[in-house]
Structure formats: C-alpha cells, structure tokens
Amino acid sequence: MFPCIDTLHAASAFERGQIYGQQSSIRIQHSVVTYARLFAACGIDWASACERAMRFEPVIEQVDADLMAELRGMAQGSGQTLGSLMALNCRTEILPPTFFSEEPQLAHAALAANRAAGLPDWLADAPWDGALKDGECTAMGVTAAASRTGQAWLAQNWDWMGRQREALVLLHTQGPSGQSITTLTEAGMLAKIGINQSGFALGLNILRSNRDGSRLGVPVHVLLRHLLDCTSVAHARERLQALQSDLGLGFGAASNVPCADAEGQAACFEVSPAGWAEVTPTDGVVVHTNHFVCESLLAEQAPVGPGLSSHSRLSTAGQHALKTPIGQADLEHFLRDESDGFLSICRSPDPSVPPESRVESVAGIVMHTQPPAMWVACDVPTRVAFESVPLAAATCQLSERLDPATVS
C-alpha cells in the first residue's frame, strides 16, 4: 500500500503542509524530477515552469488562503522551493494542450537549463516518445438507484506514467469546514482522487482544451482539494458556479470531475477555461473518459491522437454501465477490463513503446459513499487485489462545524 501521511492533528494549515512535506520529501523530489522532464519535453525548463505556476498564487489565495499556507509549509518541510510545489499543483495548466514541443531544439535548451540548475534528468537526455500523450483514466459513478447496496459508488483507473506510482501517497487532511478528507495523490499535490467524512467522493479525468493555460483560473488539483470539502454533488455544483460566476475566477485548464455522494447521487462535471457543464447519469450510471461530451464544451476539445482510445474506452464503459444493479465486484471487474488490448480501460504498459513513455493504469480506486469507504489496487488492477485503505478519522462532529455561510 502507498505511504499514509496524516496531517489531521496539525495546529494550522502551514503545519499541515510541513508534516506532508517532511514525511514525503523523497516522493516529492521524485515528482519534481518526473515533471521537470515532462515540461522540458514541451520546451519549458523547470525555472520557467515554476515562474508560470507562481502566477496562480493570487487565484489560489482567493479560493482558499489556507491552501497557499499549506503549500508554503510543504515547501519548508520538503526542502523544495514554493515555486516547485506550485509547478506540481499547476502541472495541467502549464502543459500545452497537445503536450510536447514541435521544435526539438526547445526541448534540448530546456533540458540544458535544468542540468545547469542541478536538476537531474531521469531519462539522461533520451527522446520522449509521443505515446505519453495517450491515456489518463476511465471513471464510473453509480447512483443509489442503480446500486446493489442502495448507496452510490465511484470508481476509476488512473492512467499515467508508471514511474509516478513511486510518488503516490495517501493523504489524510481536512477542509475549511473541519471535516476529514482522504485523497490518493501524487506527492506534492494537494489532492487527486478522494472521499471525505460526509461520503462525498470525487475523481479526475484529464481533458485537453484548446484554451488550456490561456488564462489564470483555478488549477485543477486545487479545485479537487477545494471540492473535497463539499458535502454532496449538489454542493459541488454550487461551488463550481461560485468559482465561475460569483468570484469570477473560472478554471485554468480542462478536466472532468466525476463524483458521488451519501445522498445517492452521482454526476460528472466538465470544466475548462470556457466554463463548466454537467454530465448526468443515464439509468442511474454516469461514465467518462478523456474527451468532452457536453455539447456546450465540444468546441473546446484539443486535437487528440488515435492512440488516446478515449472514445472506445467510453463505449466499453457504457456497456458495463448497462449491467445494473452494480456493486463493488462489478466495479472491480469494470476496472480490470482488458478487452481492447493495450488501449483498454485496464491499461498494461505496451512493451513496443519506449519504457519512459509507457502509459499504464498506475492504480485503480473504488469508493463507497455510505458509509465512506475506499479500496485501492496499487498496480495495474489485473495484477493485484483491491485492498481496503484506512480513511481519515473524523476530526469533528460535522454538524457542529459546518457553517452554511462558509461552505456554500
């Protein structure tokens, strides 16, 4: 199982970050080395990536000042610069919509700048194959009406560089309301896939918009942490509307946020610099992969290569969605689907692709909303069992801490 970082008893947001940084410093450095090479392949050296990321500081402060305090504490605890932690948390906003530079000399210059700054290149200047653009996640949300247990479920595979499995941590933390949060995330990032004590669960499917990085807006991984303080799908919907319209911040890059709650609801929220839209369940189930499906956002779609397999994975997921009622065993079976070879829902690394560019299912996650529970497959799901993971202990009686004025 991935290492567990518990920050629930910290006295402040800064101290939460310190604990996180200290206990995962080696894994945070692993993340830095991974993304420094990825940015360099796009012609962006690490110093430039950090500079671009720091532009998002006032946006994050406006969303939740405690998150910036936590990032500062994380930098202090890990020995990294604040810019490095910001670059990790704004990685989606920094990466170009289609990844990689079409001018190799820009990548070489970025790698040279990284070397001059003392940052190791884990690929030793080897070229990075474009296959890395493939992949990234298939998700399913199941409402109470379609569930075997009478409660909602959320499940997904996280597909990315297998190298980043060594950076994953299980973070126990809390939101501004005081409720506890458990999130499986890359070390150095505020959140990714998780669930809170209210039974609100969320995941992530990366989308790519033509306008990614074109404006300052809420970074995707900051958004995930912010939404993990919600109590329901309806609450998340209100938060998205507030970020878009009331605060006028909007979103810095595209993503889909699948979610489910203890009230038995499920939905997917597509976000982009152009706005957000909702995918509602069909016959009690909602599925999503890595392209826009909401009509209002279709024009935002950046070009995708044929290897992405997003449309075929969505079709396969839709077949699984028809087999209601759905329970834990069904969701584990769904996440182990290998019916389309190396481009399946369960993605094994393709040996024909250079090792540094192989995309695979880094982990599989199944979450039950009431009572809150999480199971994780810590490798390609067909290779390992789904294991129950400990959730963050409740830090309060939620009814005593939730103030409608602070969580709407």
Side-chain angles (χ1 to χ4, degrees):
M1 186 55 65
F2 304 115
C4 182
I5 312 295
D6 191 337
T7 70
L8 284 170
H9 301 293
S12 66
F14 184 85
E15 187 178 333
R16 283 199 299 272
Q18 278 184 309
I19 294 169
Y20 184 2
Q22 288 166 354
Q23 294 187 17
S24 59
S25 59
I26 293 174
R27 288 183 175 240
I28 290 175
Q29 175 64 11
H30 186 95
S31 290
V32 168
V33 171
T34 297
Y35 284 105
R37 183 51 155 88
L38 182 55
F39 291 144
C42 303
I44 306 167
D45 64 73
W46 187 247
S48 297
C50 294
E51 182 181 350
R52 293 187 190 193
M54 288 301 298
R55 295 185 302 150
F56 289 88
E57 182 176 8
V59 176
I60 301 173
E61 288 274 8
Q62 195 170 350
V63 173
D64 184 350
D66 275 356
L67 294 183
M68 276 310 309
E70 194 166 321
L71 287 167
R72 294 185 185 102
M74 206 187 307
Q76 195 276 337
S78 65
Q80 299 285 342
T81 65
L82 177 59
S84 289
L85 272 301
M86 290 288 286
L88 293 179
N89 282 276
C90 300
R91 61 98 156 166
T92 308
E93 290 67 31
I94 296 170
L95 288 171
T98 55
F99 289 14
F100 303 128
S101 172
E102 294 181 358
E103 301 180 54
Q105 65 269 27
L106 295 180
H108 292 311
L111 287 169
N114 286 351
R115 282 196 304 273
L119 196 60
D121 176 11
W122 66 275
L123 284 181
D125 291 340
W128 215 338
D129 191 277
L132 186 60
K133 289 186 280 189
D134 298 348
E136 276 227 305
C137 316
T138 309
M140 179 184 292
V142 182
T143 66
S147 166
R148 289 188 187 276
T149 63
Q151 293 291 342
W153 293 84
L154 185 66
Q156 79 160 91
N157 280 341
W158 179 50
D159 300 347
W160 193 221
M161 292 172 281
R163 169 182 165 85
Q164 275 304 89
R165 188 177 290 114
E166 297 175 42
L168 285 180
V169 297
L170 194 68
L171 176 64
H172 291 170
T173 187
Q174 67 181 57
S177 68
Q179 68 175 318
S180 58
I181 292 166
T182 297
T183 177
L184 182 66
T185 188
E186 296 170 86
M189 295 186 187
L190 291 166
K192 194 177 291 288
I193 301 155
I195 190 168
N196 64 26
Q197 75 182 77
S198 296
F200 176 73
L202 59 70
L204 173 66
N205 304 101
I206 288 295
L207 309 180
R208 299 309 290 177
S209 160
N210 287 311
R211 291 193 248 188
D212 284 355
S214 64
R215 51 156 297 179
L216 291 181
V218 182
V220 167
H221 288 84
V222 173
L223 175 65
L224 295 173
R225 176 65 177 273
H226 182 63
L227 293 180
L228 271 170
D229 193 51
C230 291
T231 56
S232 65
V233 171
H235 191 185
R237 189 181 296 116
E238 293 169 4
R239 286 273 179 101
L240 291 167
Q241 186 61 28
L243 293 171
Q244 179 72 41
S245 301
D246 300 347
L247 294 177
L249 294 174
F251 311 99
S255 277
N256 174 66
V257 182
C259 51
D261 66 26
E263 297 176 5
Q265 302 301 308
C268 287
F269 296 111
E270 296 182 350
V271 303
S272 83
W276 67 279
E278 181 174 354
V279 185
T280 57
T282 299
D283 296 327
V285 185
V286 61
V287 292
H288 212 291
T289 51
N290 303 107
H291 61 277
F292 289 102
V293 299
C294 293
E295 187 172 355
S296 62
L297 295 176
L298 291 179
E300 296 300 301
Q301 182 66 55
V304 295
L308 184 63
S309 77
S310 185
H311 288 83
S312 62
R313 281 184 288 115
L314 186 64
S315 177
T316 302
Q319 294 301 308
H320 283 270
L322 296 174
K323 300 173 183 178
T324 56
I326 295 171
Q328 182 178 350
D330 305 295
L331 291 169
E332 292 182 7
H333 178 68
F334 157 66
L335 295 181
R336 288 179 168 135
D337 186 298
E338 294 183 310
S339 60
D340 200 18
F342 293 116
L343 299 179
S344 299
I345 289 170
C346 182
R347 186 159 181 159
S348 294
D350 185 348
S352 70
V353 173
E356 63 273 10
S357 302
R358 291 174 188 167
V359 173
E360 61 187 89
S361 294
V362 180
I365 303 94
V366 175
M367 292 176 284
H368 185 249
T369 60
Q370 188 58 36
M374 176 189 286
W375 295 263
V376 175
C378 299
D379 202 325
V380 177
T382 51
R383 297 176 177 174
V384 296
F386 280 83
E387 299 180 51
S388 176
V389 302
L391 298 188
T395 58
C396 64
Q397 291 296 316
L398 199 57
S399 59
E400 295 175 4
R401 291 291 298 274
L402 284 177
D403 178 353
T406 64
V407 298
S408 62

